[in-house]
Amino acid sequence: MTSTAVDDRARTYRAHARPFWRRALLTREAAIIGILLVVIAVSLATVRNFDSPLTATYLLRDIAPILLIALPMALIIITEEIDLSVASIVGLSSVTVGVLTQSGWPFEAAALAAMGVGLVAGSINGFLVTVVGLPSLAVTIGTLALFRGVAVGLLGTEAVTEFPETWTDLAKANVPGTPLPLIMVPFAVLAIMFAVLLHFTPFGRSLYAIGLNKEAAQFSGIDVARTKFALFVLSGTVSGFAGVYFTLLYSNARGENAMGMELQVIAAVLLGGVSIFGGRGALHGVIAGVLLIGTLGSTLRLAGVTSDIINVITGALLVLSVVSASFLAWLQSRRAAALGKRRGARTTASASTV
């Protein structure tokens, strides 16, 4: 266990001693929400067409898969694990629904099968991590290549573009009378379910306990392996659903779909306040992180910035998220050490006076 991880966990325990208003407002999540509001305000004032309802519609459509996948990803990282294979599962799910639809399956059955493929892929990750005992970083790097290879192998350089118009129109539809894409409805339902699960149930508390100290969580009666396995299955299933939506949105099933999306998901989760060392994070910060990265991307595209530069900025945000979390943990540990020395000095002085 690294000293940075220890410092971050100590800071997490100390945070609960602060007043509630400080825990609610003086947090990294609140800071990300504040930055998001500032970016939106500046974009509205300076970027042409950013205030158009179509901009909000296309922005939310584009980031919907990232929003969906970020929910289980946050839970996985809170337990000090990671899943780098999510984008490849999206691609594999997309190819599955395309191939089955092309073969004559009803779209509904093909979509369920694609989500089932995501579930199986997540189960493979969970089995290798929790039963075999391999590091999740190494496992999901391997399955990232494996699932992507299978997806590309099934279709090669071809693409399936014929899907029922009823479903493609539904994927592109808005909530009546609003610029909000209809996909935001299932996302909102999932977000509420994940938020309740993480923040208001014993299962959620067990995730923080695992991330803070896996051995202590095990001794307290938490089934660490089963819990982590369930999270990887959730991640795979949600990624499968995101793959079906991605396919319908762009009317395109290809093995290369969602290439590199895992970088955006992880960057948003870490930017939203989830600690890469586990034991810390909140879903409202994660959602704000996804919206911040999406808003920045939309603003830069409207300003004429190329996608390569936007990818560079996303990577820089990922590095900044990790570095800033480590720096804040180090700074907090220095302050705590200094405070401990002062208290020790006062105790010594009082004892000598007596």
Side-chain angles (χ1 to χ4, degrees), residues 4 7-8 11 324-334:
T4 305
D7 292 340
D8 189 67
R11 178 168 60 85
S324 62
S326 299
F327 175 75
L328 290 173
W330 174 80
L331 187 62
Q332 188 71 23
S333 66
R334 291 291 299 271

Side-chain angles (χ1 to χ4, degrees), residues 277-296:
F277 305 110
R280 186 187 186 281
L283 281 188
H284 65 280
V286 170
I287 294 171
V290 176
L291 291 174
L292 177 56
I293 289 179
T295 302
L296 281 173

Side-chain angles (χ1 to χ4, degrees), residues 56-68 170-171 173-175 178-192 241 245 287 290-291:
T57 299
Y58 286 117
L59 166 62
L60 292 174
R61 282 181 189 171
D62 289 342
I63 66 172
I66 301 173
L67 281 168
L68 290 166
L170 189 64
N174 288 356
V175 176
T178 74
L180 295 176
L182 200 58
I183 187 64
M184 289 297 104
V185 175
F187 165 71
V189 172
L190 284 175
I192 292 171
F241 174 68
Y245 169 73
I287 294 171
V290 176
L291 291 174

Side-chain angles (χ1 to χ4, degrees), residues 300-301 304-311:
L300 293 172
R301 278 191 294 270
V305 178
T306 63
S307 59
D308 291 336
I309 300 299
I310 295 174
N311 289 336

